[in-house]
């Protein structure tokens, strides 16, 4: 069994999770505040990958990033960036596809924080930035940890989206799930079984870590 696709999956999952942490925390905080109707529209668009077939999202991303289309041609001619059949393209597709798994838990956690805690911080003379980092973030840390673990696991198991945008290029875009599919197509079931076992192990460890984090959160609330 070639471990390159597994390590590529881990790399993709790690990079995607880091990017979504940087995006999801401020975006989740902003969406948690009451606002105009356009916020609901934006949140619906960002949550759409949860229910959209991966093949549909992958197809539209492929069309958008293709050098034969306006946006893809602009990326290539102006910025010298080619996202189709590249690891960078996998990252962009994974960020879009996994965004709801980071955003929704974080937004919900921010929404559940009592307004009185924020007002008390302001009363004590804390600035908005100090309140965010010293009051709000500590109260949503377990939600962030759970969202990060779920995002990582979801990216590890991606197939349709990354297959459309990245293809099946060994050492470049062939991640674990695609290597598993490729092994089955070649009727190499023993190799496919090894890939499946590794991916199953990663998924189990991730789900277990989420349960442990949530259990600690519940104990903290009760205690």
């Amino acid at each position: 069994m070639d471990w390159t696709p597994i390590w590529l999956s881990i790399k993709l999952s790690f990079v995607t999770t880091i990017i979504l942490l940087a995006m999801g925390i401020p975006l989740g905080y902003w969406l948690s505040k009451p606002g105009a109707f356009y916020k609901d529209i934006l949140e619906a668009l960002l949550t759409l990958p949860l229910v959209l077939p991966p093949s549909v999202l992958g197809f539209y991303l492929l069309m958008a990033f293709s050098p034969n289309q306006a946006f893809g041609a602009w990326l290539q001619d102006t910025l010298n960036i080619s996202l189709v059949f590249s690891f960078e393209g996998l990252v962009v597709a994974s960020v879009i596809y996994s965004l709801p798994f980071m955003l929704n838990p974080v937004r919900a956690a921010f929404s559940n924080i009592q307004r009185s805690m924020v007002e008390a911080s302001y009363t004590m003379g804390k600035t908005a930035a100090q309140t965010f980092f010293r009051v709000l973030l500590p109260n949503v840390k377990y939600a962030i940890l759970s969202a990060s673990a779920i995002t990582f696991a979801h990216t590890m198991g991606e197939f349709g989206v990354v297959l459309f945008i990245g293809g099946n290029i060994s050492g470049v875009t062939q991640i674990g799930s695609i290597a598993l599919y490729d092994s089955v197509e070649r009727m190499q079931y023993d190799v496919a079984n090894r890939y499946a076992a590794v991916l199953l192990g990663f998924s189990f460890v991730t789900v277990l870590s989420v349960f442990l984090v949530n259990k600690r959160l519940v104990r903290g609330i009760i205690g």
Side-chain angles (χ1 to χ4, degrees):
M1 178 181 122
D2 183 9
W3 282 90
T4 303
I6 299 298
W7 292 119
L8 196 61
S9 291
I10 295 174
K11 178 182 176 182
L12 176 63
S13 300
F14 180 78
V15 173
T16 299
T17 302
I18 293 299
I19 293 175
L20 286 179
L21 268 174
M23 293 174 54
I25 294 175
L27 188 56
Y29 174 64
W30 180 69
L31 289 174
S32 69
K33 296 181 177 181
F37 180 65
Y38 71 87
K39 277 192 175 183
D40 297 327
I41 298 177
L42 176 61
E43 190 170 358
L45 288 173
L46 296 177
T47 307
L48 194 59
L50 281 177
V51 296
L52 193 67
S55 56
V56 174
L57 179 60
F59 171 75
Y60 281 122
L61 289 177
L62 177 62
M63 291 295 99
F65 297 150
S66 172
N68 296 325
Q69 304 297 324
F71 181 65
W74 179 81
L75 286 176
Q76 184 165 312
D77 297 339
T78 306
L79 303 178
N80 195 28
I81 295 176
S82 179
L83 295 178
V84 177
F85 306 127
S86 67
F87 181 79
E88 291 76 14
L90 295 187
V91 172
V92 173
S94 297
V95 166
I96 295 173
Y97 188 46
S98 295
L99 177 60
F101 294 88
M102 177 67 74
L103 177 63
N104 290 350
V106 174
R107 180 199 56 76
F110 277 122
S111 298
N112 290 331
I113 295 179
Q114 296 181 359
R115 180 62 187 174
S116 58
M117 295 179 61
V118 178
E119 293 174 351
S121 178
Y122 290 153
T123 302
M124 296 174 64
K126 303 298 182 182
T127 64
Q130 290 174 326
T131 300
F132 179 78
F133 286 105
R134 297 183 182 180
V135 177
L136 297 179
L137 274 186
N139 279 277
V140 300
K141 61 181 179 180
Y142 290 116
I144 293 175
L145 288 173
S146 295
S148 299
I150 294 173
T151 299
F152 188 93
H154 181 257
T155 306
M156 281 288 296
E158 286 180 2
F159 177 74
V161 172
V162 294
L163 181 62
F164 266 86
I165 196 68
N168 185 16
I169 305 174
S170 179
V172 180
T173 62
Q174 188 189 62
I175 61 174
S177 58
I178 295 178
L180 168 60
Y181 176 77
D182 189 55
S183 298
V184 172
E185 274 200 325
R186 297 171 182 270
M187 293 187 292
Q188 298 174 342
Y189 298 117
D190 55 336
V191 177
N193 182 54
R194 295 190 188 100
Y195 281 122
V198 172
L199 294 174
L200 175 62
F202 268 103
S203 299
F204 175 76
V205 170
T206 301
V207 172
L208 179 61
S209 65
V210 171
F211 281 149
L212 293 176
V213 168
N214 289 335
K215 188 176 181 180
R216 183 174 178 180
L217 174 61
V218 171
R219 284 181 177 176
I221 293 175
I222 295 175

